[in-house]
């Protein structure tokens, strides 16, 4: 079936189908950026594994960070169905030619940040990712189905951490509030620039890669998060949040997108640290990859 | 004795779904394996795409080692969302 016909009928494009070059390039860029985000995203939370406050919390956090590594692998595999090579995508990340989500350029200063990340950052990621399960490119859509299934525990464990802190001692509650204060606005930025300034959006919508606009998804996130914050007993750092009966949505204040663009440019609090850590991990791991290759070559030789 | 190699057959029932293993067959080469798979496994339009893979290329886990192999996941109940108590009335979590 022809590409345009497929899209018109809300069909799925599969790897062997013909597709326009621009569609392929857009998918590679988006899936690679998504994969890189999962991998870099292990760092802020990984920072707290050795200092988790209990064995239970530590086991949960390890399981979550391990899931994120898995998400990166599902996504690199989906990108490879488009004819690119994972090693090459990693090179592009390490050389700064491909990006990852800006949210991971913020530091995790306290244990409560791990809670805020699970609740807000994974929460926002879920809102972004659920529609991608119906993306027009089959392998990406199927990877997203797997990922979305795994995300829900991520968000719940974060909520639980904050709920525990918010109902603990005053210092614990203050720590939870501080984490939410710092992570709220960057989480709203995860949905990207406003619709009017979003360069790729219209084309991605036409291709069925994107199903809802940045602003619609941001609104959806605010609408589900405000009542959850009330249950936590924490405030969101935006005095303009209030229910708008007419719209049937919560109103909220304007997001400062100059901050988002600065972080994308490389000027966030942790950009350099995240990249340096990633590149070092890759280089320090070279001997493992070499040893594995040498071992399998030796075994093949012995079998021959 | 069958001198033709064995092939594992995977069918994609419709666009958007992944290929699923449906069975195997013998064929002398890949091309005939594909044709035969079409005739054996998709006579009633069961699929829109077929894969055949030489069975000898498939590495399987050892059934005898099953417990030891899969045990590590058994005590990690916290990987499931149902492990967490969600306060009453909280939605979309
Ligand atoms: Fe993830
Ligand atoms: Fe996650």
């Amino acid at each position: 079936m022809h590409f345009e016909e497929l899209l018109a009928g809300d069909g799925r494009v599969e790897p062997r189908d013909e597709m326009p070059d621009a569609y392929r390039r857009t998918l590679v860029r988006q899936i690679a950026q998504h994969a890189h985000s999962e991998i870099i995203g292990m760092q802020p939370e990984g920072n707290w594994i050795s200092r988790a406050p209990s064995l239970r919390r530590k086991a949960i956090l390890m399981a979550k960070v391990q899931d994120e590594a898995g998400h990166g692998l599902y996504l690199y595999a989906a990108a490879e169905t488009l004819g690119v090579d994972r090693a090459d995508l990693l090179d592009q990340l390490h050389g700064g030619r491909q990006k990852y989500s800006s949210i991971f350029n913020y530091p995790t200063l306290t244990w409560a940040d791990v809670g805020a990340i699970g609740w807000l950052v994974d929460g926002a990621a879920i809102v972004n990712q659920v529609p991608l399960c119906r993306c027009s490119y089959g392998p990406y859509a199927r990877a997203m189905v797997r990922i979305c299934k795994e995300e829900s525990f991520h968000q719940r464990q974060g909520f639980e951490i904050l709920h525990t802190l918010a109902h603990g001692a005053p210092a614990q509650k203050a720590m939870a509030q501080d984490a939410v204060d710092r992570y709220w606005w960057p989480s709203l930025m995860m949905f990207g620039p406003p619709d009017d300034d979003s360069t790729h959006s219209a084309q991605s919508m036409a291709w069925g890669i994107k199903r809802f606009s940045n602003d619609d998804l941001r609104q959806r996130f605010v609408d589900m998060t405000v009542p959850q914050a009330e249950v936590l007993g924490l405030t969101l750092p935006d005095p303009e949040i209030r229910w708008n009966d007419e719209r049937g949505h919560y109103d909220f204040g304007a997001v400062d997108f100059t901050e988002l663009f600065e972080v994308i440019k490389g000027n966030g609090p942790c950009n350099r640290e995240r990249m340096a850590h990633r590149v070092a991990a890759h280089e320090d791991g070279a001997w493992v990859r070499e040893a594995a290759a040498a071992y399998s070559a030796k075994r093949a030789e012995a079998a021959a | 004795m069958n001198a033709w190699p064995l092939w594992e057959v995977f069918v994609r029932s419709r666009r958007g779904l992944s290929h699923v293993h449906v069975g195997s067959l013998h064929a002398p080469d890949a091309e005939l394996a594909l044709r035969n798979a079409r005739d054996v496994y998709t006579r009633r339009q069961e699929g829109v795409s077929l894969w055949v893979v030489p069975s000898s290329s498939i590495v399987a886990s050892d059934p005898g080692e099953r417990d030891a192999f899969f045990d590590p996941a058994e005590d990690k109940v916290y990987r499931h969302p149902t492990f967490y108590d969600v306060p009453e009335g909280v939605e979309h979590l």
Side-chain angles (χ1 to χ4, degrees), chain A:
Chain A
M1 213 190 300
H2 193 266
F3 180 74
E4 300 292 337
E5 272 174 72
L6 258 182
L7 290 193
D10 199 24
R12 295 289 171 271
V13 180
E14 295 294 347
R16 310 277 296 260
D17 293 334
E18 275 188 61
M19 58 187 99
D21 272 348
Y23 175 81
R24 186 185 295 271
R25 274 199 309 274
T26 299
L27 278 169
V28 168
R29 183 175 50 84
Q30 178 170 336
I31 300 173
Q33 177 167 331
H34 196 159
H36 299 330
S37 302
E38 304 282 353
I39 298 298
I40 300 277
M42 293 192 283
Q43 290 185 39
E45 291 175 290
N47 180 36
W48 280 92
I49 289 177
S50 63
R51 293 174 291 163
S54 68
L55 190 56
R56 178 181 184 276
R57 294 284 183 214
K58 186 180 189 140
I60 292 170
L61 186 56
M62 281 201 295
K64 181 191 190 277
V65 172
Q66 189 185 21
D67 272 1
E68 306 301 1
H71 296 175
L73 295 179
Y74 302 157
L75 288 163
Y76 284 124
E80 286 190 308
T81 64
L82 291 158
V84 294
D85 182 61
R86 183 174 81 181
D88 194 50
L89 298 178
L90 282 173
D91 276 348
Q92 298 200 49
L93 169 67
H94 298 158
R97 278 163 290 135
Q98 279 179 348
K99 309 239 174 256
Y100 57 89
S101 176
S102 295
I103 191 73
F104 302 118
N105 290 316
Y106 291 87
T108 40
L109 305 176
T110 70
W111 168 250
D113 288 10
V114 175
I117 289 179
W119 178 45
L120 295 174
V121 175
D122 287 85
I126 291 170
V127 171
N128 261 329
Q129 289 173 346
V130 166
L132 286 172
C133 296
R134 294 192 297 117
C135 161
S136 62
Y137 188 58
Y140 190 28
R142 290 189 288 275
M144 292 318 304
V145 171
R146 292 186 74 89
I147 289 175
C148 284
K149 265 192 212 149
E150 300 180 358
E151 285 294 350
S152 120
F153 116 67
H154 297 182
Q155 196 192 13
R156 283 193 183 189
Q157 63 86 37
F159 186 88
E160 191 190 74
I161 289 171
L162 289 182
H163 194 268
T164 305
L165 290 173
H167 293 81
Q172 288 176 311
K173 182 164 185 181
M175 190 200 274
Q177 184 61 57
D178 169 63
V180 170
D181 288 346
R182 281 180 292 110
Y183 272 93
W184 172 249
W185 290 106
S187 299
L188 291 188
M189 294 174 203
M190 286 174 68
F191 298 94
D195 294 345
D196 301 340
D197 315 341
S198 179
T199 35
H200 304 296
S201 271
Q203 182 60 78
S204 285
M205 296 267 247
W207 276 332
I209 297 173
K210 220 175 143 60
R211 298 284 179 178
F212 300 96
S213 79
N214 294 353
D215 286 334
D216 285 352
L217 292 170
R218 193 165 11 245
Q219 180 72 61
R220 186 175 299 177
F221 174 68
V222 171
D223 288 348
M224 45 187 254
T225 309
V226 173
Q228 292 172 359
E230 281 163 18
V231 175
L232 288 174
L234 298 172
T235 48
L236 298 172
D238 177 358
E240 290 179 51
I241 290 179
R242 67 179 55 85
W243 179 252
N244 182 327
D245 229 354
E246 225 164 279
R247 293 201 307 124
H249 292 290
Y250 285 95
D251 289 338
F252 57 100
V255 181
D256 175 14
F257 285 103
T258 50
E259 176 179 326
L260 174 66
F261 294 124
E262 276 307 304
V263 182
I264 291 176
K265 261 193 270 169
N267 303 323
C270 301
N271 294 58
R272 267 169 218 101
E273 186 185 328
R274 298 291 184 243
M275 280 308 292
H277 187 87
R278 172 88 273 276
V279 171
H282 188 69
E283 285 169 0
D284 292 348
W287 73 270
V288 179
R289 296 188 289 277
E290 282 157 22
Y295 180 66
S296 84
K298 197 169 120 190
R299 290 224 300 184
E301 209 171 287

Side-chain angles (χ1 to χ4, degrees), chain B residues 2-9 24-38 50-56:
Chain B
N2 200 326
W4 288 353
L6 190 64
W7 304 78
E8 299 300 325
V9 181
S24 54
L25 50 74
H26 287 279
D29 61 34
E31 198 187 328
L32 279 167
L34 256 187
R35 280 168 184 256
N36 295 351
R38 177 198 60 189
L50 266 179
W51 286 348
V52 291
V53 178
S55 302
S56 58

Side-chain angles (χ1 to χ4, degrees), chain B residues 11-14 41-50:
Chain B
V11 175
R12 184 203 294 290
S13 56
R14 62 180 168 82
Y41 291 104
T42 62
R43 288 191 308 282
R44 288 174 185 76
Q45 294 184 294
E46 285 91 340
V48 295
S49 170
L50 266 179

